[in-house]
């Protein structure tokens, strides 16, 4: 038994309250190294009297990576406190006790020693990670306000270009997009099935992207005013659409009054300690790249001299930013905050931010922009979720870029799911493209069948999907600023077939959201040679089952219970052909026939749409 591969951490993603009285416990072991794992658990004060260690609960081998297996079990405690440990049996027949002090022989003296057990001293509801229920049910739509729609030409900034007049927008171009444009097109979002809008920043700023904030308490004059924004929020709420604002609390714009005061008064400025300044006066040497300098005398976002970094450990800065957070919730009834460059702000500030926001609105959704593993921010006292780039990167790397094998994608998806609590996974923010990345169609090399397949696969994952504006019409665009093209409102430029696909996909996701959010993921088969991906979610006696053909030859299926598909053709009344780039999804009742999946995990097989054969002889990427 490889004990070095075995790991558990109390009060973490390995042991946490899922509901007020249900605890999820996970155990990590070496892949294929453990035959069985069982949980011993009971009240810490009843160990000697009840000898509850004589009764064990089998754990389920759930998800696997290339190096590890993850075992799970759900338990409860009548007195809301728990001692627990693991009985582990290796493939070599070794049986060990694993607890708070490591490994011991599985014998009575070990079992009776109270200090050997992991503990959750009390089920504190105040400490439980709470995922807002409404977020699980949301399909987000990201709007870059300057490029969505120009509803009011009277507020256009000087030099505004005609809408869509440049095929490839420049970094400093303005096209007049505003909040009135959003208001004018809310029916479009309602028809699409959208029930959440993620706005890129709308506060007063000098740039078209507005990430260089001048005044956090004002709507940018090119977008409208507070009265108009209140109307937008109210109209969204009437349609069942939640509203998320984007805020940059890592840095300010250099035109902000605070930074201008530092430029003017140097170390005597009232705001000198609001920033990370190494010497006065503040200086930098301009370069041919407006957003870069290599000799800045103060800390910034990246090396952008126009975005000085805020000192969020400063009490005055904290008070200022927390007032902003509270203001837009209480005065405008926003439903969520998306926090830019969230990983570069200190944890103490985010804990204060969390408390202020949840006091103002208990079911607020706090989303951090973090592109890497994020356990430190997702303990329940800072963010509810992060922009799940690490998760969707694995999908894009396999389906689109073809830089990793299928086994690596599955391993990485499973790894990401095991980094966080289950309620966290259910509301992670899944994006395939955004204002910061090339558009999906462009990286798919204009292969719309592939784009549909990737969208469908992502919408069938845990977490909540976000559609970047215009993807419903198959808009293209390379990296920033090309991914920020004007929304296409002219009918002749719109891909209506893609629109109908996205609309149907959103409806499917919303209909089956409980299964996708709360079901147990089963990888039934993944085949490197044929490109077959066969997986399912088990939930409440049902199995939502998806088959994806990422190979170069057809796959043949029984024609039963298929609810949603592309690239699928009927061969006769019983058989269908699933072509390359195709997928088929079915919903079936579970037949309780225990079999092993490709990772050796036991699961219940499902009736209905099943793969019959793949006639491809070889598959390589």
């Amino acid at each position: 038994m490889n004990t070095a591969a075995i790991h558990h951490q109390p009060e973490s993603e390995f042991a946490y309250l899922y509901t007020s009285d249900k605890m999820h416990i996970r155990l990590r072991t070496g892949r294929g190294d453990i035959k069985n794992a069982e949980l011993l658990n009971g009240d810490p004060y009843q160990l000697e009297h009840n000898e509850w260690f004589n009764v064990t609960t089998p754990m389920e081998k759930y998800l696997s990576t290339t190096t590890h297996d993850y075992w799970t079990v759900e338990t409860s405690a009548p007195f809301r406190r728990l001692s627990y440990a693991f009985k582990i049996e290796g493939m070599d027949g070794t049986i060990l006790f694993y607890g708070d002090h490591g490994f011991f022989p599985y014998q009575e003296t070990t079992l009776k020693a109270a200090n050997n057990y992991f503990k959750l001293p009390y089920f504190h509801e105040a400490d439980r990670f709470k995922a807002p229920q409404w977020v699980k049910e949301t399909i987000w739509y990201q709007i870059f306000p300057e490029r969505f729609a120009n509803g009011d030409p009277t507020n256009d900034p000087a030099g505004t270009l005609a809408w869509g007049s440049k095929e490839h927008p420049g970094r400093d171009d303005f096209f007049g997009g505003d909040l009135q444009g959003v208001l004018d097109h809310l029916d479009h979002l309602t028809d699409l099935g959208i029930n959440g809008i993620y706005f890129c920043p709308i506060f007063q700023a000098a740039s078209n992207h507005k990430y260089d904030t001048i005044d956090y308490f004002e709507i940018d004059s090119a977008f409208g005013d507070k009265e108009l924004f209140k109307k937008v929020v109210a109209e969204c709420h009437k349609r069942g659409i939640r509203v998320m604002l984007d805020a940059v609390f890592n840095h300010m714009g250099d035109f902000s009054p605070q930074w201008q005061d530092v430029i003017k008064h140097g170390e005597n400025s009232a705001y000198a300690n609001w920033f990370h300044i190494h010497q006065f006066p503040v200086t930098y040497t301009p370069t041919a790249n407006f957003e870069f300098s290599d000799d800045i005398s103060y800390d910034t976002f990246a090396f952008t001299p126009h975005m000085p970094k805020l000192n969020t450990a400063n009490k005055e800065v904290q008070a200022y930013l927390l007032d902003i957070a509270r203001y837009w919730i209480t005065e405008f009834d926003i439903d969520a905050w998306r926090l830019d460059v969230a990983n570069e702000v200190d944890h103490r500030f985010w804990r204060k931010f969390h408390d202020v926001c949840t006091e103002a609105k208990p079911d607020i959704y706090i989303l951090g922009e973090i592109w890497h593993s994020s356990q430190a921010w997702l303990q329940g006292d800072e963010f509810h979720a992060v922009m799940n780039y690490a998760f969707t990167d694995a999908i894009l790397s396999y389906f689109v870029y073809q830089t990793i094998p299928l086994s690596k994608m599955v391993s990485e998806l499973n790894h990401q799911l095991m980094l966080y609590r289950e309620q966290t996974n259910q509301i992670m923010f899944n994006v395939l493209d955004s204002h910061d990345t090339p558009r999906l169609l462009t990286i798919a090399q204009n292969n719309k069948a592939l784009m549909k397949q990737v969208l469908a696969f992502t919408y069938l994952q845990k977490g909540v999907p976000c559609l970047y504006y215009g993807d419903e019409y198959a808009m293209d665009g390379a990296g920033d600023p090309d991914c920020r093209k004007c929304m296409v409102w002219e009918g002749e430029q719109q891909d209506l077939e893609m629109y109908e696909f996205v609309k149907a996909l959103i409806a499917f996701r919303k209909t089956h959201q409980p299964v996708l959010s709360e079901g147990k993921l089963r990888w039934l088969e993944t085949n490197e040679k044929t490109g077959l991906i066969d997986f399912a979610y088990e939930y409440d006696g049902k199995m939502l089952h998806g088959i994806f053909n990422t190979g170069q030859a057809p796959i043949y299926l029984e024609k039963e219970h298929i609810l949603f598909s592309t690239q699928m053709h009927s061969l006769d009344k019983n058989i269908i052909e699933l072509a390359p780039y195709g997928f088929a999804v079915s919903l079936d009742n579970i037949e309780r026939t225990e079999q092993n999946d490709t990772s050796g995990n036991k699961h219940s097989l499902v009736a209905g749409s099943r793969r019959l054969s793949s006639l491809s002889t070889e598959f390589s990427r």
Side-chain angles (χ1 to χ4, degrees), residues 313-328:
N314 180 291
K315 299 295 184 182
E316 293 179 358
V317 173
Q318 291 176 6
Y320 175 68
L321 298 180
L322 295 177
D323 281 348
I324 294 163
R326 186 184 298 106
Y327 176 74
W328 291 96

Side-chain angles (χ1 to χ4, degrees), residues 559-576:
K559 188 178 181 180
E560 294 183 16
H561 308 301
I562 293 176
L563 303 178
F564 191 48
S565 65
T566 62
Q567 304 290 102
M568 189 181 77
H569 312 285
S570 294
L571 299 182
D572 58 35
K573 65 179 182 179
N574 296 317
I575 306 299
I576 59 171

Side-chain angles (χ1 to χ4, degrees), residues 211-486:
Y211 284 97
D212 51 343
T213 314
I214 293 173
D215 190 341
Y216 295 89
F217 287 99
E218 291 295 334
I219 301 292
D220 192 274
S221 57
F223 291 164
D225 56 26
K226 292 178 180 178
E227 182 179 354
L228 176 58
F229 180 63
K230 275 192 175 182
K231 186 175 181 181
V232 169
V233 174
E235 290 298 321
C236 283
H237 286 171
K238 283 181 184 178
R239 292 166 167 81
I241 299 174
R242 304 278 184 156
V243 175
M244 177 160 62
L245 290 187
D246 198 341
V248 191
F249 293 157
N250 175 69
H251 54 267
M252 278 184 171
D254 58 350
F255 287 111
S256 63
Q258 294 90 341
W259 186 250
Q260 288 296 310
D261 193 81
V262 168
I263 292 174
K264 182 176 181 181
H265 299 290
E267 58 191 318
N268 296 318
S269 169
Y271 302 101
N273 293 323
W274 277 45
F275 305 92
H276 298 269
I277 300 172
H278 304 298
Q279 65 183 44
F280 293 95
V282 292
T283 60
Y284 70 92
T285 301
T287 68
N289 182 350
F290 178 77
E291 297 188 356
F292 177 81
S293 177
D294 59 5
D295 65 350
I296 309 171
S297 66
Y298 48 94
D299 290 346
T300 63
F301 167 66
F303 293 94
T304 306
H306 309 289
M307 296 182 179
K309 181 177 175 63
L310 283 162
N311 177 13
T312 49
N314 180 291
K315 299 295 184 182
E316 293 179 358
V317 173
Q318 291 176 6
Y320 175 68
L321 298 180
L322 295 177
D323 281 348
I324 294 163
R326 186 184 298 106
Y327 176 74
W328 291 96
I329 298 171
T330 58
E331 295 297 320
F332 298 88
D333 198 25
I334 67 166
D335 305 288
W337 279 112
R338 185 266 188 185
L339 303 166
D340 192 62
V341 203
N343 57 334
E344 297 185 23
V345 176
D346 66 90
H347 290 283
R348 287 179 179 270
F349 173 76
W350 286 136
R351 293 186 189 106
K352 294 179 179 181
F353 180 89
H354 173 274
D355 289 347
V356 165
C357 291
T358 53
E359 286 169 8
K361 196 168 204 175
D363 67 344
I364 193 81
Y365 178 49
I366 305 174
L367 174 68
E369 185 210 14
I370 300 178
W371 293 56
H372 51 79
S373 299
S374 307
Q375 297 101 314
W377 293 268
L378 295 173
Q379 300 301 310
D381 57 353
E382 295 186 43
F383 307 153
H384 294 103
V386 298
M387 299 187 74
N388 208 9
Y389 285 111
F391 188 85
T392 52
D393 275 354
I395 297 173
L396 293 174
S397 294
Y398 173 71
F399 279 87
V400 179
Y401 295 116
Q402 301 181 12
T403 54
I404 62 173
L406 177 52
S407 58
K408 175 64 175 175
M409 182 192 75
V410 173
S411 176
E412 183 61 19
L413 295 182
N414 289 346
H415 170 67
Q416 291 297 322
L417 290 171
M418 291 294 98
L419 284 179
Y420 311 114
R421 294 161 173 81
E422 184 64 11
Q423 59 263 47
T424 311
N425 289 327
Q426 294 168 0
I427 58 171
M428 290 288 270
F429 199 80
N430 293 338
V431 292
L432 290 167
D433 51 2
S434 72
H435 68 292
D436 284 327
T437 71
R439 283 191 177 267
L440 178 57
L441 182 61
T442 294
I443 61 174
Q445 299 181 31
N446 295 312
N447 184 335
K448 293 181 180 180
L450 175 58
M451 178 178 176
K452 291 176 184 178
Q453 187 182 59
V454 175
L455 282 167
F457 187 83
T458 303
Y459 277 54
L460 292 176
Q461 303 305 310
K462 288 186 181 292
V464 291
C466 178
L467 186 73
Y468 188 38
Y469 81 93
D471 278 357
E472 68 270 34
Y473 288 132
M475 283 181 60
D476 62 4
D480 171 20
D482 202 51
C483 55
R484 304 171 181 181
K485 295 180 179 181
C486 293

Side-chain angles (χ1 to χ4, degrees), residues 97-123:
F97 174 100
Y98 174 50
D100 201 35
H101 295 291
F103 299 94
F104 293 91
Y106 199 84
Q107 57 191 23
E108 187 172 359
T109 54
T110 301
L111 300 176
K112 285 187 173 182
N115 289 339
N116 284 341
Y117 290 87
F118 296 111
K119 290 180 176 62
L120 183 64
Y122 193 80
F123 287 18

